[in-house]
Amino acid sequence: MKIFVSYSHRDEGTLDRLKAHLSPLRRDGRIETWYDREIRAGGKIDGEISAELEACDIVFLLISPDFLNSDYCMDTEMTRAMERHEEGTARVIPIIVEDCYWKSSLFKKLKALPKDGKPISNWTNENTAFLNIVEEVARILDDMDRASASAQPEAGGSTASEARPRKYRVQRHFDDIDRSDFRDQAFDKIRSYFQGAAAELDALEELRGRFRARSDKKFSCTVVNRSRIQGGTAHITVQCSTGGEVFGDISYVFAEDARDNTSNGGFNVENDEYEMFLTATMNFIRGNEEDRMTPHQAAESLWTEFLEQAGVSLA
């Protein structure tokens, strides 16, 4: 099973101890762990994190005050992990590192480790806490192995394709309320992505990032590249349409707190007979206007384009 570890970099010590305690399961070939330190030089950070988060079977959330304070951990990684948990495509396991107010979060309904959600830092011997975590993970792996085995056909029985549950796509009609809700949800995801990415960027020595919520339907972001004498500052304003605009359901301008009647591009909510998606209204976003995008993909593409305005690219 592939395990994705979401954590604050301030908790790297805990991550290292957890990795050491999980080593027997790794040596037995039962798990493979991934976290952002696995990204090699030249790798695209956001893209690789997103790809690994989509490919994993289990997500560990290392919960601490610093994790809860991290917009990227909470708004990007944890939010997508919980979406996959609700879809039944991944299992989320919160691991409580230190005392913090985590029971107001989305994962509050999940069983947390170590036993009874007692923070690792509160155990007299922290090795006992890690042992409890590993034993519980081993039991979860056993359950998942049994579930996988039960889905396999018996000798002489049906084929694997016959035993595997079928997935269906159901045609449906999308009305104006559906499209409006999708637009608002997409804007919220783009806003959360920019807020988390700006905070992460601001922690770097040569860069500054600032996020500003202008209203419920509008935000702006600024990036300063300190190593670039000229052209090292970039601004963007992103706005959710309230109806009647011609620039897209979600529009953006490469300017700080831009006027409502300006635009450099945008996204429209489209749908086929099965699902809704976003398309770019102009060619500032890579690809062409026929490309379908999820809200996360739209946010990632727009963030990349925005960074280039300040002479910054994702490694």
Side-chain angles (χ1 to χ4, degrees):
M1 297 294 175
K2 191 163 189 176
I3 299 175
F4 179 101
V5 184
S6 177
Y7 71 106
S8 164
H9 287 180
R10 292 180 180 271
D11 297 320
E12 282 192 358
T14 301
L15 173 62
D16 289 338
R17 295 303 300 150
L18 177 61
K19 183 179 177 182
H21 279 269
L22 288 169
S23 59
L25 296 178
R26 177 178 54 80
R27 286 197 181 94
D28 288 343
R30 302 196 67 188
I31 64 168
E32 175 186 355
T33 57
W34 191 94
Y35 45 96
D36 59 9
R37 287 193 315 204
E38 302 284 353
I39 300 175
R40 301 294 183 242
K44 294 185 177 180
I45 297 175
D46 286 346
E48 290 198 29
I49 289 175
S50 178
E52 294 294 334
L53 186 53
E54 295 299 322
C56 70
D57 304 292
I58 297 172
V59 180
F60 284 168
L61 305 178
L62 301 193
I63 309 302
S64 70
D66 294 303
F67 181 96
L68 299 180
N69 188 49
S70 169
D71 291 328
Y72 195 88
C73 288
M74 291 293 290
D75 296 335
T76 301
E77 294 181 349
M78 185 276 291
T79 298
R80 180 54 188 149
M82 289 302 298
E83 288 175 350
R84 292 200 60 208
H85 185 91
E86 295 297 331
E87 295 165 358
T89 59
R91 181 166 186 154
V92 175
I93 302 176
I95 297 175
I96 312 303
V97 177
E98 296 177 343
D99 283 308
C100 55
Y101 187 66
W102 59 272
K103 293 194 175 180
S104 64
S105 304
L106 288 177
F107 49 83
K108 65 181 180 181
K109 59 187 177 181
L110 304 181
K111 179 182 177 181
L113 299 177
K115 185 179 179 180
D116 299 326
K118 180 180 178 181
I120 295 172
S121 62
N122 288 358
W123 289 63
T124 303
N125 185 339
E126 291 190 356
N127 285 325
T128 305
F130 285 112
L131 175 60
N132 178 264
I133 292 170
V134 174
E135 289 176 339
E136 184 65 20
V137 170
R139 283 192 286 270
I140 292 171
L141 293 175
D142 290 340
D143 291 341
M144 296 174 79
D145 287 343
R146 283 192 291 269
S148 177
S150 65
Q152 299 298 320
E154 298 180 0
S158 59
T159 64
S161 61
E162 291 173 334
R164 187 183 302 116
R166 293 179 174 85
K167 296 183 178 180
Y168 299 93
R169 299 182 71 202
V170 179
Q171 293 184 358
R172 57 169 295 190
H173 168 70
F174 296 100
D175 58 30
D176 289 344
I177 293 178
D178 292 325
R179 286 186 285 271
S180 176
D181 287 345
F182 184 86
R183 177 200 64 202
D184 292 345
Q185 292 166 8
F187 175 79
D188 289 343
K189 287 183 179 294
I190 294 171
R191 178 175 55 194
S192 294
Y193 184 100
F194 269 70
Q195 186 174 9
E200 183 182 71
L201 183 146
D202 194 51
L204 303 178
E205 184 176 351
E206 296 297 326
L207 299 171
R208 294 194 65 190
R210 183 182 69 185
F211 174 91
R212 289 287 183 270
R214 302 292 178 180
S215 70
D216 291 342
K217 299 292 185 181
K218 184 177 182 181
F219 71 85
S220 64
C221 198
T222 297
V223 167
V224 177
N225 179 357
R226 293 173 171 173
S227 62
R228 195 175 188 182
I229 298 176
Q230 293 183 337
T233 300
H235 302 286
I236 191 171
T237 300
V238 182
Q239 183 169 355
C240 183
S241 168
T242 55
E245 287 83 353
V246 297
F247 300 119
D249 292 305
I250 299 171
S251 63
Y252 57 89
V253 185
F254 292 122
E256 184 178 15
D257 198 14
R259 298 189 308 272
D260 293 348
N261 61 346
T262 59
S263 176
N264 290 129
F267 303 98
N268 276 332
V269 176
E270 305 286 351
N271 66 272
D272 57 18
E273 295 176 322
Y274 299 96
E275 61 187 358
M276 290 183 288
F277 47 86
L278 296 175
T279 61
T281 61
M282 295 186 185
N283 291 328
F284 286 90
I285 301 298
R286 287 173 177 79
N288 59 68
E289 61 183 12
E290 297 300 321
D291 288 342
R292 300 184 178 200
M293 288 179 283
T294 65
H296 181 83
Q297 289 171 333
E300 194 170 59
S301 296
L302 185 54
W303 176 256
T304 301
E305 191 70 32
F306 167 55
L307 287 184
E308 291 181 354
Q309 306 292 317
V312 180
S313 61
L314 294 175

